[in-house]
């Protein structure tokens, strides 16, 4: 029999190759019953591939997938009994909302009376009562996505797989839907694997986040922990939104601290780097860049590249040592220099963390600016 501490879902060395390239390389991941795990990564990192392998739409090149200890890697999708929700709601346009939601139950041979009862229950759960008789195109995007959610919840799948379910919705509805998904997860205790490229969604929703990069699972942990203590420069920039300052090699790392040189000054910072001789970076939150000097703050020369108004704050992009961009956030209207001007930047080291420099950070910057354009 199943043991209590056995994971509901377990991926073992899961690999998927397409022709020459690998979309997924040896991914290990365990999901406990009742957990909401976010799989987060930039576009093309393999998120949808993980999901479609678990759902059975694709066959792994190697590795195995266990559900409640049973190897399901080679089962047909229909035999896996998992619920899947995609970005586009995929409701049947010619059916009413009630018919859509009751469809999985009809397939499973439920009689009309039981179906009606269950459909009312799940429509209640997603707050769509009163819309039973409507067709999908009479509902808003957010309502259609809630109907799609109700349809998979109707048959109580042991595991719900969601692939960027909110990305087709506008910002306000996205916020509402996040709260909805949190509530449904809390009330039903459904185990959810939630794929997203949006770190705010991962932070807001998940009990645990697993970060994919180029088909590799590079970090996983509780979101607030990983946010505060990113495990590498990539995680620091992509997940925490921190600035990444190249520090170079050869720092003395001991018991969680390191001595580094910054702006000509020797300072001691928290360190996540184990061992010696590694290329390192300093991960520094945007609020740690200051325009006024302060005690213990190293100073570096910078040039202003861009100034963006965020409403209650101003976001300023600087260029330092003519190669690295850093972003600071300042209270609105507080003597902010103009684009093109040179300025001194003072670095508060509270919450700064020395991390391993995993190369190729530029690609993340591109993804981030794309995200901002879309938002
Ligand atoms: P994500 O969902 O994170 O954006 P995907 O899992 O869709 O990423 O894709 C991961 C990688 O695998 C990408 O480089 C993509 O181009 C490639 N890929 C995905 N599906 C196929 C396919 N059917 N044939 C060939 N390459 C594919
Ligand atoms: Mg995808």
């Amino acid at each position: 029999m199943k043991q209590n501490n056995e994971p509901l879902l377990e991926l073992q060395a899961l690999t998927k190759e397409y022709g020459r390239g690998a979309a997924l390389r040896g991914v290990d991941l365990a999901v406990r019953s009742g957990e909401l795990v976010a799989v987060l990564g930039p576009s093309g990192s393999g998120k949808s591939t993980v999901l479609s392998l678990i759902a059975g739409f694709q066959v792994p090149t190697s590795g195995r997938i266990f559900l409640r200890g049973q190897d399901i890697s080679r089962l047909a999708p229909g035999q896996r009994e998992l619920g899947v929700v995609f970005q586009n709601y995929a409701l049947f346009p010619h059916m009413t909302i009630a018919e859509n939601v009751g469809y999985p139950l009809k397939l499973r041979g439920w009689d009309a009376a039981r179906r009606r009862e269950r459909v009312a229950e799940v429509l209640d759960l997603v707050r769509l009562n009163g819309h039973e008789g409507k067709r999908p195109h009479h509902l808003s995007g957010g309502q259609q996505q809630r109907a799609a959610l109700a349809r998979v919840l109707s048959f109580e799948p042991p595991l719900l797989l969601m692939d960027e379910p909110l990305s087709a919705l506008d910002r306000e509805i996205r916020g509402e839907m996040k709260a909805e998904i949190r509530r449904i997860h809390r009330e039903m205790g459904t185990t959810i694997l939630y794929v997203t490229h949006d770190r705010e969604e991962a932070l807001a929703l998940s009990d645990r986040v697993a970060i994919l990069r180029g088909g590799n699972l590079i970090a996983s942990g509780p979101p607030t922990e990983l946010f505060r203590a990113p495990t590498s420069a990539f995680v620091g920039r992509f997940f925490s939104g921190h600035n990444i300052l190249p520090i170079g090699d050869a720092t003395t790392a001991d018991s969680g601290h390191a001595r580094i040189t910054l702006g000509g000054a020797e300072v001691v910072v928290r360190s996540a780097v184990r061992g010696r001789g590694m290329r390192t970076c300093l991960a520094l939150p945007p609020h740690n860049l200051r325009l006024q000097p302060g005690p213990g703050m190293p100073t570096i020369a910078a040039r202003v590249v861009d100034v963006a108004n965020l409403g209650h704050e101003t976001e300023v992009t600087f260029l330092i040592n003519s190669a690295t961009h850093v972003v600071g956030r300042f209270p609105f209207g507080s003597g902010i220099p103009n684009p093109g001007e040179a300025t001194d930047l003072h670095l508060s080291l509270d919450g700064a963390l020395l991390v391993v420099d995993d190369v190729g950070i530029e690609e993340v910057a591109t993804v981030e600016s794309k995200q901002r354009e879309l938002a």
Side-chain angles (χ1 to χ4, degrees):
M1 274 309 287
K2 181 185 149 207
Q3 288 188 323
N4 257 351
N5 55 357
E6 181 186 69
L8 178 75
L9 173 76
E10 192 171 6
L11 311 181
Q12 283 182 2
L14 201 59
T15 297
K16 178 67 181 178
E17 287 164 7
Y18 291 111
R20 270 175 290 138
L24 219 58
R25 305 161 205 259
V27 166
D28 294 316
L29 180 70
V31 178
R32 289 186 299 277
S33 182
E35 246 188 329
L36 196 165
V37 174
V39 175
L40 175 72
S43 169
S45 59
K47 304 182 298 293
S48 294
T49 302
V50 175
L51 204 115
S52 67
L53 290 173
I54 299 169
F57 305 142
Q58 308 249 35
V59 180
T61 307
S62 61
R64 299 203 288 172
I65 303 165
F66 295 91
L67 189 70
R68 297 189 172 121
Q70 188 206 348
D71 187 347
I72 60 162
S73 323
R74 260 84 196 162
L75 289 185
Q79 293 176 293
R80 301 188 187 195
E81 286 284 294
L82 304 177
V84 188
V85 179
F86 295 104
Q87 172 183 338
N88 49 350
Y89 332 115
L91 295 168
F92 302 115
H94 59 286
M95 290 186 192
T96 64
I97 295 305
E99 284 163 355
N100 263 287
V101 173
Y103 186 72
L105 305 178
K106 199 169 179 179
L107 284 184
R108 287 164 177 77
W110 290 39
D111 66 51
R114 263 182 85 209
R115 258 184 357 241
R116 210 165 27 246
E117 201 177 310
R118 178 67 184 151
V119 166
E121 231 171 71
V122 284
L123 283 180
D124 204 34
L125 184 73
V126 301
R127 305 195 170 145
L128 274 183
N129 16 28
H131 298 284
E132 292 79 356
K134 293 184 186 166
R135 305 222 181 251
H137 67 272
H138 285 126
L139 301 187
S140 70
Q143 289 172 325
Q144 288 184 49
Q145 195 56 306
R146 295 218 297 270
L149 194 54
R151 188 173 58 183
V152 295
L153 290 173
S154 70
F155 65 96
E156 296 189 65
L159 176 66
L160 191 54
L161 304 169
M162 305 179 94
D163 193 351
E164 315 236 13
L166 308 186
S167 56
L169 305 175
D170 61 40
R171 196 180 172 83
E172 197 180 329
I173 308 289
R174 261 195 333 250
E176 274 173 32
M177 282 295 293
K178 267 189 248 178
E180 260 333 57
I181 291 171
R182 250 196 322 262
R183 181 180 60 81
I184 288 165
H185 175 243
R186 203 170 50 232
E187 285 177 10
M188 298 199 52
T190 314
T191 311
I192 302 178
L193 195 72
Y194 187 100
V195 160
T196 180
H197 67 274
D198 181 335
R199 67 165 186 253
E200 285 176 19
E201 266 176 33
L203 267 168
L205 287 173
S206 70
D207 301 312
R208 200 147 54 87
V209 58
I211 299 181
L212 274 181
R213 183 192 189 192
N216 295 296
L217 200 153
I218 59 162
S220 95
T224 41
E225 237 168 71
L226 210 53
F227 184 87
R228 287 192 202 128
T231 49
S232 73
F234 179 91
V235 175
R237 171 147 317 161
F238 182 69
F239 184 54
S240 314
H242 289 174
N243 291 298
I244 301 299
L245 280 63
I247 297 296
D249 39 36
T251 47
T252 53
D254 69 80
S255 64
H257 287 85
R259 187 178 297 277
I260 60 170
T261 307
L262 199 58
E266 273 222 335
V267 289
V268 173
V269 291
R270 277 195 314 144
S271 172
V273 179
R274 301 229 161 74
R276 287 158 183 276
M278 268 176 274
R279 276 157 43 101
T280 61
C281 290
L282 191 67
L284 198 65
H287 288 108
N288 288 42
L289 306 192
R290 305 286 165 78
L291 295 167
Q292 267 77 48
M297 288 191 206
T299 300
I300 55 176
R303 185 167 295 280
V304 177
V305 175
D306 185 46
V307 177
N309 179 9
L310 301 183
H312 56 297
E313 280 185 320
T314 305
E315 188 177 84
V316 184
T317 307
F318 303 91
L319 189 62
I320 58 171
N321 55 37
S322 70
T324 307
H325 284 97
V326 292
V327 172
R329 299 236 172 132
F330 306 96
F332 189 66
S334 54
I336 307 245
N338 295 309
E341 283 180 19
T343 185
D344 275 347
L345 266 185
H346 311 282
L347 310 177
S348 161
L349 297 178
D350 264 1
L353 182 69
L354 194 72
V355 289
V356 172
D357 180 6
D358 40 0
V359 287
I361 293 197
E362 300 71 27
E363 77 189 68
V364 189
T366 317
V367 169
E368 281 208 330
S369 59
K370 220 171 17 184
Q371 271 180 24
R372 199 171 311 156
E373 275 166 34
L374 293 174

